[in-house]
Amino acid sequence: MKKITLLFTLALMFSVANVFGQAREELNFGLVGVNYEIPVHEDITIAPGIGTDFDLDWITVGVKANYYFDNIFGITDDAWDVYGGANAGYAIYAGDNDLDDSSFDIGLQVGGRWFWNDKWGVYAEFSGGVNTVMPAIGVTMKL
């Protein structure tokens, strides 16, 4: 059941990505998830995405909204970003026991990003929500 749920949510994520294909600016690959960042303002992005925990017990399909604090903090180097925001989605329980704990999930995140060239960078983020609290690291690709 866990594998079927994971495959279904990955297929859903890629179908959502095709809807926003022209507007996305960055693709973030993390150890426990993937999302597409779409700019809606100079300092604000939204990012539909999918994530899980390290045990693959939860799969969350949702969206994040981030505010970039670069202007407020006076960060003028384009290689660095500092952000924080909120997330919402649906958390699907995919564990091995028979619990049906799937539910709406909301949370907050804070993170930073550093680009080593014009296209590639790394990020670190700490997020917490109803079902998960975890750090995330990953790679960012500008599109």
Side-chain angles (χ1 to χ4, degrees):
M1 180 66 180
K2 185 188 310 185
K3 290 180 183 179
I4 292 172
T5 305
L6 180 61
L7 289 174
F8 173 74
T9 51
L10 285 173
L12 179 64
M13 177 60 205
F14 288 118
S15 67
V16 170
N18 288 333
V19 172
F20 297 110
Q22 296 298 317
R24 68 180 186 252
E25 183 177 287
E26 295 173 353
L27 178 61
N28 300 306
F29 298 99
L31 289 178
V32 292
V34 61
N35 67 60
Y36 290 97
E37 284 201 60
I38 303 163
V40 295
H41 182 270
E42 179 182 347
D43 297 326
I44 300 171
T45 63
I46 59 170
I50 185 170
T52 186
D53 60 355
F54 289 112
D55 296 329
L56 297 176
D57 287 337
W58 291 96
I59 299 168
T60 303
V61 179
V63 65
K64 296 184 342 179
N66 284 321
Y67 181 83
Y68 286 83
F69 294 98
D70 298 354
N71 291 329
I72 292 174
F73 292 157
I75 300 172
T76 58
D77 188 352
D78 288 339
W80 291 95
D81 287 324
V82 176
Y83 60 89
N87 58 70
Y90 190 74
I92 303 163
Y93 182 73
D96 292 332
N97 58 26
D98 293 332
L99 295 176
D100 186 20
D101 286 342
S102 301
S103 65
F104 184 70
D105 190 30
I106 59 172
L108 300 173
Q109 71 268 351
V110 62
R113 180 181 295 133
W114 173 70
F115 287 94
W116 67 79
N117 65 27
D118 290 339
K119 186 154 182 121
W120 294 97
V122 293
Y123 74 91
E125 179 177 293
F126 184 79
S127 64
V130 174
N131 295 311
T132 58
V133 175
M134 65 176 22
I137 59 171
V139 176
T140 296
M141 180 177 71
K142 287 185 182 179
L143 301 175

